[in-house]
Amino acid sequence: MTALGSPLASTVLFHVGPLAVTRPVVTTWVIILVLTAGARALTHRLSAHPGRRQAAVEAIVTAIMDQIEGVIGENPRPFLPLLATLLIFLVAANLSGVLPGVQAPTGKLETPAALALIVFAAVHGFGVRARGLFGYLASFARPKLIMLPLNLLSEVTRTFSMMVRLFGNVMSGEFVIALVVALAGLFVPIPLMALEILVGLVQAYIFFILATVFIGAAVDTSGGD
Amino acid sequence: MHFDWSTFALQTVNFAILVWLLHRFLYRPVLRMIDVRRSEIEQQYADAQTAEDQAKAHLAAIEAQRAGIGAERQATLRQAAADAEKAAAERRTQGEHEAASLLADARKTLAAERAQALAQARRSALDLGTHIATRLLAQVPGELRAAAWSDRVGQYLAALPEPQRAGLAKQLVNGGQLQIVTAAPLSAAAAETWRNMLQQMLGGRFAVEFAVDPQLVAGADLHFPDAVLHLCWQNALAAMRTEIEADARAR
């Protein structure tokens, strides 16, 4: 970060028609490109007898599946693409801010908002698929009908809080590092950067686990809400 | 507060695309490989389970076979013991029978030999008695023996029924001859005494001839033309021997 500006503002790099392409978008494209290329490189020669690299990839995927199954209590495969991608992308995006000259996409409000929107849509999509439309809508009136407004409001607020938590932690970390670099020098913020790595990993996990919990609550047909 | 809706929209699309890409290039291949390996492991587990079941069945069959061998061995031993005991009992019974038979045969043989020895002893006793009597009689003077036997012959003829005595006399008429056989030669006087006694007992006069046969031991045989009166000891001893042997056989 070469200059101190509004932490909420994103630099527009170019326009594609009416859409302004900002730095977080380009950074996300790079992340997508790297993740896809890495995934392709790791999985294009899979074997029944895995090597060390394949074993590591399978261990990561299996660990994520076990985490999802532990929270939701069902077959994790339908939820794996969304939730695992959420975790992997958030780890990559949060840690990208550590690289010199790179701003973490999650440090801008639009990216956590987009992710929160997708999680919000996925929660209700999985809920309707698991319970049926009316069954799922009826779940908002439990345990009493009077709870309906509060439940609806909580659906929005918890998603909003999830978005703001991610955005605030990443943005504040980057902002503090930028301030320290501007005031103290080049190597002084290194401990803060290490802390930022930890915060990025923790926030990625929190976002992932909250999304998993929300989806688990939506698809829970045992009577819980 | 600034919020860029273009960035929001693009990031939403970007994340959706990333979900699809990772699903396409990461999760699906990895899950497919995990499924393949899991099915392979399950297949191996099933094969191992099948092999284990087969091994257990084989083991059970071997144990059953081993138990059968043991039972068969026990049965064979019991059968062999029973056969041996039966054979021993049969052999013992046969031995007892054979011993009884041998004992019976021995007893029969012993009884026969004893009977034979007893008969032989009797014959020897008779022969000895005859020999003793002959030797003792040989010491008696011939006149005395002739006189004694002439008296006895006379008493015998006198004791005969009249028709029988008349039948004997009838054989001597018309030239019939009476031969008198004695064990020792008679003197002339004794011969005359015999002749007179016989002619007196049988009536009439007839020819009397004298002969000697030491086998008679004592006494005399009277040879009529058609009959013989055995009044000698040889005949008496033979009758005694016959009676004694008949008595022994009867016992």
Side-chain angles (χ1 to χ4, degrees):
Chain A
M1 190 175 280
T2 57
L4 290 177
S6 172
L8 301 179
S10 298
T11 304
V12 177
L13 298 180
F14 58 91
H15 286 80
V16 177
L19 297 176
V21 178
T22 58
R23 289 187 63 176
V25 173
V26 175
T27 305
T28 300
W29 286 348
V30 175
I31 291 173
I32 290 173
L33 188 63
V34 171
L35 290 178
T36 304
R40 178 75 178 129
L42 290 172
T43 61
H44 81 289
R45 283 184 181 177
L46 294 179
S47 168
H49 303 285
R52 189 174 301 176
R53 189 188 314 172
Q54 181 182 337
V57 172
E58 291 182 2
I60 292 171
V61 174
T62 305
I64 296 173
M65 289 176 64
D66 292 342
Q67 190 74 40
I68 295 171
E69 187 177 13
V71 174
I72 296 179
E74 294 184 6
N75 180 17
R77 296 201 175 196
F79 315 106
L80 180 69
L82 173 66
L83 295 175
T85 303
L86 199 59
L87 178 63
I88 294 171
F89 174 73
L90 284 174
V91 169
N94 291 347
L95 298 186
S96 65
V98 180
L99 298 176
V102 178
Q103 289 183 342
T106 48
K108 302 302 179 184
L109 188 58
E110 291 82 1
T111 302
L115 298 178
L117 176 66
I118 288 176
V119 170
F120 183 83
V123 166
H124 299 302
F126 283 123
V128 170
R129 192 173 72 175
R131 300 186 181 190
L133 178 61
F134 294 104
Y136 181 68
L137 293 176
S139 67
F140 289 102
R142 290 172 185 165
K144 296 291 185 181
L145 184 59
I146 196 171
M147 297 295 292
L148 178 62
L150 293 177
N151 286 335
L152 292 175
L153 183 61
S154 72
E155 289 296 319
V156 177
T157 56
R158 70 182 186 180
T159 307
F160 188 79
S161 70
M162 188 169 64
M163 171 192 73
V164 173
R165 182 185 300 110
L166 176 64
F167 163 68
N169 280 280
V170 177
M171 181 273 294
S172 62
E174 284 194 342
F175 191 68
V176 168
I177 291 172
L179 284 175
V180 171
V181 168
L183 296 177
L186 186 59
F187 298 104
V188 176
I190 289 179
L192 294 175
M193 294 175 71
L195 179 63
E196 181 61 17
I197 292 173
L198 178 62
V199 169
L201 294 175
V202 170
Q203 290 305 316
Y205 180 74
I206 289 173
F207 200 98
F208 158 75
I209 206 70
L210 284 176
T212 306
V213 169
F214 294 162
I215 292 175
V219 301
D220 183 14
T221 57
S222 63
D225 195 13
Chain B
M1 182 172 179
H2 178 77
F3 189 83
D4 187 355
W5 290 98
S6 295
T7 303
F8 174 71
L10 286 174
Q11 291 295 69
T12 304
V13 174
N14 286 340
F15 184 77
I17 292 172
L18 180 61
V19 169
W20 181 82
L21 287 173
L22 290 185
H23 181 60
R24 169 74 175 79
F25 292 112
L26 182 61
Y27 309 132
R28 187 184 297 169
V30 171
L31 291 178
R32 187 188 307 123
M33 191 51 58
I34 290 174
D35 290 340
V36 168
R37 188 177 302 112
R38 183 173 298 171
S39 65
E40 192 174 311
I41 291 173
E42 289 177 352
Q43 181 62 38
Q44 290 177 353
Y45 181 77
D47 293 343
Q49 187 67 34
T50 302
E52 184 181 359
D53 294 341
Q54 289 177 349
K56 286 181 178 177
H58 194 55
L59 181 62
I62 289 174
E63 287 179 351
Q65 188 177 2
R66 186 181 298 171
I69 290 173
E72 187 177 356
R73 176 175 169 272
Q74 293 295 330
T76 303
L77 288 175
R78 283 196 296 272
Q79 183 64 35
D83 291 345
E85 189 174 354
K86 182 179 179 182
E90 289 178 352
R91 197 168 299 169
R92 185 168 60 246
T93 304
Q94 185 179 0
E96 290 175 355
H97 289 168
E98 289 179 355
S101 177
L102 288 174
L103 185 60
D105 292 343
R107 284 175 177 169
K108 286 181 181 176
T109 304
L110 186 60
E113 289 178 352
R114 186 172 61 187
Q116 189 176 0
L118 190 58
Q120 185 63 34
R122 284 195 187 97
R123 282 194 294 273
S124 297
L126 288 174
D127 293 341
L128 181 61
T130 302
H131 182 66
I132 292 172
T134 302
R135 292 187 62 179
L136 290 175
L137 286 174
Q139 295 179 6
V140 178
E143 289 77 9
L144 292 179
R145 279 188 285 169
W149 283 104
S150 66
D151 293 341
R152 190 166 180 270
V153 168
Q155 291 173 0
Y156 178 80
L157 292 175
L160 284 176
E162 183 57 32
Q164 193 170 357
R165 188 169 62 246
L168 291 174
K170 189 178 179 182
Q171 296 180 20
L172 299 174
V173 295
N174 298 327
Q177 186 179 356
L178 174 61
Q179 185 182 27
I180 298 172
V181 181
T182 59
L186 299 174
S187 62
E192 190 59 28
T193 303
W194 276 85
R195 186 177 293 112
N196 293 332
M197 183 271 294
L198 290 172
Q199 288 178 349
Q200 184 181 352
M201 292 300 295
L202 296 174
R205 297 195 59 85
F206 49 82
V208 177
E209 184 184 358
F210 292 95
V212 177
D213 184 4
Q215 296 293 328
L216 298 181
V217 183
D221 287 347
L222 303 181
H223 292 262
F224 291 89
D226 296 326
V228 177
L229 293 178
H230 295 285
L231 301 173
C232 61
W233 278 22
Q234 181 190 29
N235 196 42
L237 290 173
M240 289 173 63
R241 182 189 300 268
T242 302
E243 289 178 2
I244 290 171
E245 289 179 351
D247 182 63
R249 281 195 297 272
R251 291 181 184 177

